[in-house]
Amino acid sequence: MTRMSGAEAFVKALKREGVETIFGLPGGAILPICDALYDSDIRFILARHEQGAAHMADGYARASGRVGVCLATSGPGATNLVTGIATANIDSSSVVAFTGQVPIPVIGTDAFQEVDIIGVSASVTKYNIQVRGARDIPWAVKAAFYLASTGRKGAVLVDIPKDVQTSVEDMEFPEKVSFRGYRVQEEPDPRELDWASVLLSRAKRPMILAGGGVISSNASRELIALAEALMAPVATSLMGKGAVPNDHPLYVGGCGMHGTGEANTLLAEADVLLVVGARLSDRTTGLVKEFSPNAKVIHVDIDRSEIDKNVETVTRVVGDAKLALTGLLERLRRIRLEASGDSEWVRRINELRELYIMPEAKGNPHMRGPEVMRALRRSLPRDAIITTEVGQCQMWASLYFDSYAPRTFLTSGGLGTMGWGFPAAIGAKAARRDVPVVDIAGDGSFAMTENNLATSVEEELPVIVVILNNRMLGMVAQWQRLFYGRRYFGVELGKAPDFVKLAEAYGAVGVRPESLEELEREIRRAIEADQTTVIDVPIDPEENVFPMVPPGKGLKEFIMEA
Amino acid sequence: MYRSLSTVAFLVENKPGVLFNVTNLFRRRGFNIESISVGPLDDPELARMTITLKADSRVLNQIVEQLDKMVDVIRVKRLDPMRTVAREMLLVKLQTSDPMAREEALKHINSYHGLILDIDAESIIAEVTGETETIEEFLKKVSPIGILEFSRTGVTALEKGRLRL
């Protein structure tokens, strides 16, 4: 037992969790902890807004597979974190947020900068804890890391009143924590695996839909092996992009609202669909009753409440994706399944792939989204990390930027949080200093958190921002163009700001290439110079993202042009 | 319509905020609670909650899964109505200044094995316990007499025989 303040115990507990980096913004109610951090070797990265701090922690977590940590003061500091916490939680990203709170004697009195962040964050966290005594701090920190990083991962918030931070007590640091009501079933039930493998072995047209769960359980290798054993095409949800190298012959792209023609068509034709670690949101399924209507659906997920939530399954496998896929593979090998690479189904994959190649634009003076993505791909190493903002830029990246490895395509899938990509890129860079990190941005989205240019420059976490600048809130404009008779409302951003000057104002590099060749040159220069660089790429404001499944339609009903 | 009420019982950590988190889950997911009752157990760290609701089987399964996922929920079970004893308690204040009304009230309270908890010249407060349908029936019977106010506890339930949560 050691006698120390709550704040000192907090820092020690973080060290015991292996924390090296925290993203945050200080303030009155968290000052004792900041003061204790002063004496530690934990790196504190100062965000310019708490939302950015939470997104940085999220980007750090997704890029590294470790827990991302953010910290804020009470009241507005805490509420500013909420969007970032919700974003991380819905995408099952391991983030722990620490908030200061007003001292216990004034909680409930509407004291200065008091907000009931426990109540506020209840719906957007996996769990939250308010620490009521300094001696509980070591336990609370351990519990937060444990819950955030096990089972279905998620965001946990720990709220620490200021007097709890300053109070000095005898501290014990637990080796492990447990909750009676928290059980993680990692090992799948063998009977579930048996049944699933029988279904798969009998399939004539098997297909796999891989989600973020494959990435978080590091199950890519097993997924690819299973796909090859079955000769099954693999589509991914947005969160699953990168689970299979995008140049793998069985990879057919993302599915859903902006899925590829081949993925959405094959889903409609499959007779058995294996869903792994995807929660089948409306953006992935389209109209549920027309989502893979001919398939017997097998759902593998570590979170059993996801199974049958949105799509009815024939059988389930509850457990860790890596263990489940290994179990399925073993069983299929035992029954000596030998799928042919020359079956009608495999020919169908290739036929559809040829059919839905997007034509090159001719006679358009603007750079186009897909071409910018391909140029980016050409100029970046295979292991570069991409983050995206939200909207057209995100969907072009999903459709046309090939990712080759897990944790290299990071995006706000569930919440679609504008302003996510840039701070997430900074967080990813803090975790992976060794690879280039590029935020694929839209002008509207980037403008939401561009103030973190200061963090990127000051903290020497250089990232490259490629803005597809159409001076519009592009995706909203696309919907208004296609479904509201071009009645543009609140989507025109005009020329302001000048992103080149903005970058320069923050001490970053700003450039505006006029051709794809110049864009590629600038990317290579930015990687070489290792400097925060904003590349402002003017694009056609009239350009749409295709394919697109109109809202409320089945996946087969995608459109390829306006 | 009360035949379609389903009952879910669960054990939770007996600490502040858990009831909020449970009801918040129902609110957030759009599930509707008909009644809820909570009380601590002999182990003071545990509490038992009973919720009744109207939902189809698919939604009920989802509710059970979502509750089960909550860190502070230790065990959860959908109770089979055929193997469950369920009760709720009603306190009802009846307008009984008229002697005929008083007689009528006493008759119904007796026939439902109710207890008279308070009586004065104007009114009677009675306690009636029973299944939700029984309480409903009783209320219907005494309503012509004049109900001044009533309060119900919500359902609490135990499975019969060797079954346990």
Side-chain angles (χ1 to χ4, degrees):
Chain A
M1 243 187 260
T2 328
R3 202 162 171 76
M4 61 177 80
S5 71
E8 287 162 343
F10 173 82
V11 174
K12 188 170 175 189
L14 286 191
K15 290 293 293 175
R16 287 167 65 93
E17 295 303 319
V19 174
E20 292 166 355
T21 308
I22 301 179
F23 305 90
L25 218 84
I30 198 80
L31 277 179
I33 279 178
C34 295
D35 195 53
L37 282 167
Y38 185 91
D39 293 323
S40 83
D41 60 354
I42 294 175
R43 183 178 185 192
F44 184 77
I45 293 176
L46 174 63
R48 268 30 178 200
H49 183 284
E50 290 85 354
Q51 182 184 346
H55 293 332
M56 287 174 200
D58 190 1
Y60 179 95
R62 296 187 202 210
S64 67
R66 302 175 63 194
V67 175
V69 182
C70 56
L71 175 144
T73 192
S74 65
T79 53
N80 279 347
L81 285 178
V82 171
T83 300
I85 292 170
T87 305
N89 197 54
I90 199 166
D91 285 344
S92 309
S93 174
S94 301
V95 167
V96 173
F98 295 102
T99 49
Q101 182 56 276
V102 299
I104 288 177
V106 294
I107 288 180
T109 65
D110 299 325
F112 177 65
Q113 294 196 327
E114 181 191 358
V115 154
D116 168 26
I117 194 64
I118 292 295
V120 170
S121 66
S123 299
V124 294
T125 50
K126 183 172 173 182
Y127 197 65
N128 61 22
I129 301 166
Q130 186 172 66
V131 186
R132 303 291 291 193
R135 288 193 63 176
D136 290 337
I137 285 180
W139 171 84
V141 170
K142 186 100 203 154
F145 278 76
Y146 168 59
L147 291 171
S149 62
T150 55
R152 177 170 175 182
K153 298 171 174 63
V156 178
L157 181 140
V158 182
D159 193 39
I160 314 177
K162 192 171 183 181
D163 53 336
V164 172
Q165 299 169 38
T166 50
S167 167
V168 175
E169 298 200 37
D170 290 329
M171 301 287 178
E172 269 184 276
F173 292 83
E175 289 303 321
K176 56 190 269 195
V177 293
S178 64
F179 291 82
R180 274 184 289 192
Y182 183 70
R183 298 162 301 270
V184 178
Q185 185 183 338
E186 290 199 333
E187 197 74 50
D189 182 334
R191 286 163 304 181
E192 290 179 347
L193 289 172
D194 289 344
W195 181 221
S197 58
V198 167
L199 279 176
L200 283 170
S201 68
R202 289 182 186 163
K204 293 270 182 297
R205 297 182 304 281
M207 179 154 182
I208 299 174
L209 168 54
V214 173
I215 292 171
S216 65
S217 84
N218 300 317
S220 282
R221 194 179 299 170
E222 291 75 10
L223 179 81
I224 295 163
L226 186 72
E228 287 171 353
L230 295 164
M231 287 310 286
V234 184
T236 51
S237 69
L238 191 55
M239 295 304 300
K241 188 173 167 74
V244 177
N246 291 179
D247 53 358
H248 190 284
L250 288 168
Y251 180 68
V252 293
C255 68
M257 181 172 273
H258 288 288
T260 62
E262 52 270 39
N264 286 346
T265 306
L266 289 165
L267 274 169
E269 295 177 3
D271 64 353
V272 174
L273 174 66
L274 177 70
V275 180
V276 191
R279 62 188 175 82
L280 299 172
S281 84
D282 56 319
R283 278 296 192 273
T284 299
T285 62
L287 195 63
V288 170
K289 69 177 164 59
E290 286 173 33
F291 168 73
S292 208
N294 302 308
K296 294 184 173 80
V297 177
I298 306 165
H299 196 160
V300 176
D301 210 295
I302 198 155
D303 178 356
R304 69 170 69 228
S305 71
E306 284 304 339
I307 298 168
D308 287 319
K309 186 178 86 177
N310 299 334
V311 171
E312 265 186 74
T313 59
V314 168
T315 190
R316 59 171 59 189
V317 179
V318 178
D320 171 69
K322 193 183 184 84
L323 296 176
L325 291 169
T326 306
L328 289 175
L329 206 52
E330 276 168 17
R331 282 162 175 78
L332 291 174
R333 282 190 181 135
R334 222 179 293 150
I335 45 183
R336 293 175 204 279
L337 177 82
E338 276 183 36
S340 162
D342 190 33
S343 66
E344 204 175 308
W345 183 231
V346 174
R347 283 200 295 277
R348 179 70 177 146
I349 300 170
N350 294 326
E351 181 184 303
L352 287 169
R353 194 178 276 132
E354 293 294 315
L355 184 65
Y356 293 121
I357 290 176
M358 288 296 282
E360 297 283 325
K362 292 207 173 76
N364 187 333
H366 293 278
M367 284 185 261
R368 296 170 67 252
E371 287 159 3
V372 172
M373 294 306 131
R374 290 180 186 125
L376 269 178
R377 183 64 281 175
R378 285 194 295 272
S379 50
L380 289 168
R382 276 178 81 90
D383 59 356
I385 293 175
I386 294 300
T387 66
T388 81
E389 299 294 344
V390 166
Q392 287 186 311
C393 59
Q394 179 184 31
M395 292 303 132
W396 278 318
S398 160
L399 280 158
Y400 301 106
F401 183 90
D402 283 348
S403 294
Y404 301 121
R407 304 191 187 282
T408 61
F409 182 85
L410 315 180
T411 194
S412 167
L415 220 56
T417 304
M418 290 177 72
W420 184 83
F422 178 48
I426 296 172
K429 189 70 181 179
R432 292 291 310 276
R433 196 66 180 80
D434 56 320
V435 291
V437 180
V438 179
D439 175 33
I440 296 176
D443 46 336
S445 205
F446 179 61
M448 287 199 176
T449 53
E450 67 194 15
N451 52 358
N452 291 298
L453 276 166
T455 304
S456 180
V457 171
E458 289 296 328
E459 297 284 346
E460 296 182 354
L461 294 169
V463 301
I464 303 166
V465 182
V466 177
I467 304 174
L468 291 114
N469 189 347
N470 53 12
R471 297 160 297 284
M472 289 278 225
L473 298 175
M475 189 56 95
V476 188
Q478 174 169 336
W479 281 52
Q480 290 179 349
R481 190 152 53 240
L482 298 179
F483 311 120
Y484 293 86
R486 305 182 76 86
R487 286 152 55 90
Y488 293 129
F489 180 87
V491 292
E492 285 146 314
L493 297 169
K495 286 184 184 144
D498 179 330
F499 287 108
V500 172
K501 287 184 181 160
L502 180 90
E504 288 166 356
Y506 278 105
V509 177
V511 286
R512 188 172 292 119
E514 286 178 3
S515 67
L516 293 170
E517 295 71 32
E518 207 182 325
L519 167 66
E520 288 187 50
R521 264 201 312 278
E522 289 298 344
I523 298 268
R524 294 198 175 97
R525 191 210 58 76
I527 296 171
E528 184 69 24
D530 204 23
Q531 282 173 312
T532 301
T533 303
V534 176
I535 304 178
D536 185 30
V537 184
I539 62 162
D540 183 353
E542 290 286 310
E543 191 184 353
N544 295 314
V545 181
F546 290 122
M548 177 183 197
V549 178
K553 300 280 187 176
L555 292 189
K556 271 189 310 190
E557 297 173 81
F558 58 86
I559 52 175
M560 298 288 281
E561 58 188 4
Chain B
M1 66 180 186
Y2 286 91
R3 294 247 171 252
S4 62
L5 268 182
S6 299
T7 309
V8 178
F10 47 107
L11 293 186
V12 299
E13 300 278 356
N14 184 18
K15 60 184 192 190
V18 176
L19 177 61
F20 167 77
N21 282 334
V22 167
T23 51
N24 194 38
L25 168 76
F26 278 75
R27 181 199 55 74
R28 180 163 82 86
R29 302 256 177 207
F31 310 140
N32 201 22
I33 296 176
E34 288 288 325
S35 84
I36 182 165
S37 70
V38 194
L41 295 182
D42 47 350
D43 175 349
E45 290 187 353
L46 297 179
R48 181 176 173 124
M49 288 195 195
T50 312
I51 283 180
T52 59
L53 61 149
K54 284 179 201 150
D56 63 31
S57 155
R58 190 177 146 83
V59 172
L60 264 177
N61 286 339
Q62 184 56 210
I63 287 171
V64 169
E65 297 288 9
Q66 292 292 345
L67 281 172
D68 198 29
K69 189 163 90 172
M70 291 181 69
V71 173
D72 287 326
V73 173
I74 293 156
R75 265 200 298 283
V76 52
K77 198 167 180 184
R78 188 179 156 186
L79 303 185
D80 174 354
M82 303 304 288
R83 299 164 141 208
T84 300
V85 176
R87 285 290 180 272
E88 68 171 298
M89 188 176 91
L90 166 82
L91 291 182
V92 61
K93 191 189 291 179
L94 299 169
Q95 165 71 268
T96 55
S97 38
D98 171 32
M100 292 284 283
R102 177 170 300 230
E103 201 174 311
E104 183 76 1
L106 292 172
K107 187 182 85 187
H108 289 307
I109 294 166
N110 268 335
S111 69
Y112 280 81
H113 307 290
L115 292 175
I116 292 167
L117 303 178
D118 186 65
I119 189 159
D120 67 14
E122 306 277 300
S123 65
I124 290 176
I125 297 179
E127 171 197 316
V128 176
T129 57
E131 292 180 350
T132 300
E133 294 90 331
T134 313
I135 302 289
E136 291 293 325
E137 259 173 40
F138 176 78
L139 281 170
K140 209 180 276 175
K141 293 226 166 111
V142 295
S143 123
I145 300 169
I147 296 172
L148 294 173
E149 62 178 331
F150 70 87
S151 173
R152 295 165 69 165
T153 58
V155 172
T156 187
L158 285 179
E159 289 171 291
K160 294 176 186 171
R162 293 165 71 180
L163 297 172
R164 276 198 180 77
L165 183 58

